[in-house]
Amino acid sequence: QLQLVESGGCLVQPGGSLRLSCAASGLSLKYFAIGWFRQAPGKEREGVSCISYDGSSTKYADSAKGRFTISRDNAKNTVTLLMNRLKPEDSAVYYCAAEQNNPGLTLSHDEYDYWGQGTQVVVSS
């Protein structure tokens, strides 16, 4: 019954910053680990970052480490991905996903149970 909705995607210039949000409804996000994934045309879906149910643990893909920051506010039932120093290769549809059963933290998309519709990010001059 968990519903996820991403927002914040837009056109941004290289080197700029963008904040994506994932809003949940139906169930509290406090029960779920949350991952951010992205998929560009013709490419495989890529795990970007994830965060544990309580925010105590995070994980980043090599492409995102040092530039992106994931955070969550369980009281607001939201998860945020702050993206800094954006590059054209960051352009993709970004998806928020939730996982409940896996006790660990993973960037493997096939481990996630619930998915949002995605929000498009275009990094271009």
Side-chain angles (χ1 to χ4, degrees), residues 14-105:
S17 298
L18 194 62
R19 181 178 284 106
L20 305 182
S21 294
C22 175
S25 61
L27 296 173
S28 174
L29 278 185
K30 69 179 182 180
Y31 302 112
F32 299 89
I34 302 296
W36 282 98
F37 299 81
R38 66 188 182 188
Q39 188 165 25
K43 296 185 178 180
E44 296 289 328
R45 186 165 298 187
E46 174 190 15
V48 177
S49 183
C50 54
I51 187 167
S52 62
Y53 74 99
D54 60 355
S56 62
S57 298
T58 59
K59 190 174 183 179
Y60 297 91
D62 290 340
S63 60
K65 189 175 182 179
R67 298 189 299 124
F68 294 4
T69 303
I70 190 170
S71 61
R72 68 189 300 159
D73 187 341
N74 286 339
K76 296 181 179 179
N77 228 26
T78 59
V79 176
T80 298
L81 182 68
L82 175 62
M83 304 185 292
N84 293 319
R85 302 189 303 279
L86 284 163
K87 306 173 182 178
E89 51 262 45
D90 293 320
S91 297
V93 176
Y94 282 72
Y95 298 91
C96 176
E99 186 273 327
Q100 186 175 24
N101 300 121
N102 193 339
L105 195 60

